[in-house]
Amino acid sequence: MSDPCLDTLQRVFGYDAFRGDQRRIIEHVVQGGDALVLMPTGGGKSLCYQIPALVRSGTGVVISPLIALMQDQVDALTELGVKAAFLNSTQEWSQTRAVEQAFLAGELDLLYVAPERLLTDRCLDLLARGSIALFAIDEAHCVSQWGHDFRPEYLGLSFLAERWPDVPRIALTATATTETRQEIAERLSLQQAEHFVASFDRPNICYRIVEKKEVRRQLLHLIKEEHPGDSGIIYCLSRSRVESTAEFLVKEGIHALPYHAGLGTEVRAENQARFLREDGVVMVATIAFGMGINKPDVRFVAHIDLPKSIEGYYQETGRAGRDGEPATAWLAYGLQDVVQHQRMINDSLGNETHRYNQGRQVDAMLALCETVSCRRQDLLAYFDQAIEPCGNCDTCLSPPECWDGTVAAQKMMSTIYRLWRERGQRFGAGHIIDILRGKDSERMRSYGHQSLTVFGIGNELTEQGWRGVLRQLLALGMVAVDTQGYGTLMLTEASRAVLKGERSLSFRRETTVANKTASRTRSSAPRVVLPPEAQQRFERLREWRASVAKEHGVPNFIIFNDATLRQVALEQPQNFDDLRCISGIGVRKLQSYGTDLLACISE
Ligand code: ADP
Ligand code: ZN
């Protein structure tokens, strides 16, 4: 075969062409080069090491931190007729022995190993006695100490370069900033490696950021109106919020499950397995969930708390729509999120630099929330990639109105300044807004605040309107949470120019109920629609797939993904030759399932 890489892609995986940089990466590694690959989730990273492992002689050793997913990864390869196995702590001794022997006999194409396992004497010794095609270091950003996925064992992996200088190494991640990339290159001794940085755009994901009002109702609306029966992930900041949100959704008839680090290992494994195996499960989770989850048909990712950084947000939302079909990334955030984040940073341990970094990351996240330009443009700019306005985010689909908020900002700032002088007390946002709106109450009089000059000067805005002003001032860094004492709100240096009238401010208009409904229908992700008869065939194929998957004890998508079944339903192949032309049907799957597929559509 003149082109072994392309041949493998078509024969084993059933795809007709490489995507993006895949070919260059694969050929580079096949020729023995080291590579650092940055590609968004769903970009097709796995093939970048799986194909070289098949083409080169010896076994490809894949280092992956995700023990719970190794079984699925190996099952998926086995379905393709690839000889794969894993070594990790969940195995019985006899299984370990069998895998080791298969490796030594040169029978394995791919071997998955957890990093802590790899660095044991026994494992290094085993590897030294076999033949290795390459090392693939998956989720390479785990080596980064500032990231939330840091795994200390990853720091030991630079050792591979010393011990096996002639074996190519390929590190892969979906984390995109230049800083993280440099950190990975340094810590894994990949400075000499060729870097492949793909476009991070995920055009099929519709990004939407909404103002938090009644977040549970908003969430329910998103699920019931836009994503009924779809798989999705809902991210919350705390364990208790995960629990209460999952409970609420279950009561509302949604198939929701909780996931956070406080649940027992078994519960977590079980919930994860159900998410992967059953259709239409909504996982309510902390960020402990999701890395390496290769479920292709997650249709929405919702955040009901503000993520800590754009990097995190991008990775989490990236778990939607890996199959390339329309998906939604939805975030609800409000004033309280901003205040809470600042408090958390102030209270966090660690040195000044660490706090500064955290603060900077939240600031970037807030700027994204408050932007009046294309969300995707802002997101990608954060990763140093420039694009035109996308047409598939809320600000593109229904551009927000702006208003001159200079005077309102001055009023808000004056009030904050007055209260700051009484900083023995902690006055929350609600009290500040009550003063502006001139609310006469017991509490107000007990502080004597009804006699402040700012009392009642802000009747032109509703309470919600003022919350919007304050939120945007916090996002702009003109108001901050006091780092000492009571966490009162205070003015920053940046506010001076506005107070003096030297700088004017333009704010996003808070959406009113009326135009919210209008924008909702316009800005939601389109759904894939098949003609009615094809839809019926598709449903039959899905039923067939579910029964096969159950029999084999694997997630549905490991048998075939939706896109493949949809193509079968649409094109109605008549024989094996027709089936061969469908994306996602390779030699092995044709043998195993060809007859069933033909029978299923001729019914
Ligand atoms: P990543 O690891 O980068 O998140 P995967 O390797 O899981 O992405 O690939 C995402 C999906 O795209 C998978 O279903 C994979 O089979 C599919 N895919 C990858 N490369 C190709 C290709 N060249 N043609 C068609 N589908 C592909
Ligand atoms: Zn856009």
Side-chain angles (χ1 to χ4, degrees), residues 223 225-230 299 326 524-530:
I223 299 174
E225 301 299 318
E226 297 181 29
H227 290 285
D230 284 347
R299 293 269 68 85
S524 54
R527 296 178 75 84
V528 184
V529 195
L530 287 176

Side-chain angles (χ1 to χ4, degrees), residues 258-328:
Y259 190 105
H260 59 71
L263 294 169
T265 321
E266 270 170 36
V267 180
R268 265 185 292 160
E270 150 120 28
N271 288 358
Q272 175 171 301
R274 288 182 62 188
F275 177 73
L276 290 173
R277 281 167 174 69
E278 293 170 23
D279 284 332
V281 176
V282 174
M283 188 68 110
V284 187
T286 58
I287 53 171
F289 177 75
M291 193 187 8
I293 293 288
N294 57 356
K295 188 175 169 60
D297 56 354
V298 176
R299 293 269 68 85
F300 68 93
V301 170
H303 284 85
I304 58 170
D305 291 308
L306 188 71
K308 288 183 185 161
S309 69
I310 289 196
E311 261 186 292
Y313 170 74
Y314 203 67
Q315 253 191 351
E316 286 138 28
T317 54
R319 290 167 189 149
R322 289 170 85 118
D323 52 11
E325 296 191 1
T328 305

Side-chain angles (χ1 to χ4, degrees), residues 11 19 29 41 59 69 164 167 170 189 192 270 283 409 431 438 446 476 513 543 546:
R11 199 169 32 84
R19 273 190 195 160
V29 176
T41 311
T59 304
L69 294 170
W164 283 276
V167 176
I170 170 171
S189 306
Q192 310 300 318
E270 150 120 28
M283 188 68 110
H431 188 70
S446 73
L476 287 167
V513 180
E543 269 168 43

Side-chain angles (χ1 to χ4, degrees), residues 9 15 17-19 22 40-47 322 561:
L9 178 78
Y15 299 137
F18 287 112
R19 273 190 195 160
Q22 277 177 335
T41 311
K45 285 185 286 298
S46 329
L47 292 187
R322 289 170 85 118
N561 64 24

Side-chain angles (χ1 to χ4, degrees), residues 359 578 593 598:
D578 294 349
Y593 305 122
L598 293 175

Side-chain angles (χ1 to χ4, degrees), residues 427-485:
F427 298 112
H431 188 70
I432 293 171
I433 293 170
D434 283 349
I435 292 177
L436 280 162
R437 293 181 39 80
K439 188 167 164 197
D440 198 2
S441 66
E442 205 50 40
R443 180 173 146 86
M444 196 59 74
R445 261 178 262 138
S446 73
Y447 292 117
H449 285 169
Q450 80 285 11
S451 58
L452 290 175
T453 51
V454 290
F455 186 76
I457 58 167
N459 270 316
E460 70 276 26
L461 291 180
T462 60
E463 183 186 336
Q464 191 73 29
W466 280 117
R467 294 182 82 83
V469 170
L470 182 51
R471 201 188 65 227
Q472 297 186 63
L473 288 174
L474 278 154
L476 287 167
M478 297 191 168
V479 172
V481 176
D482 179 17
T483 44
Q484 285 133 26

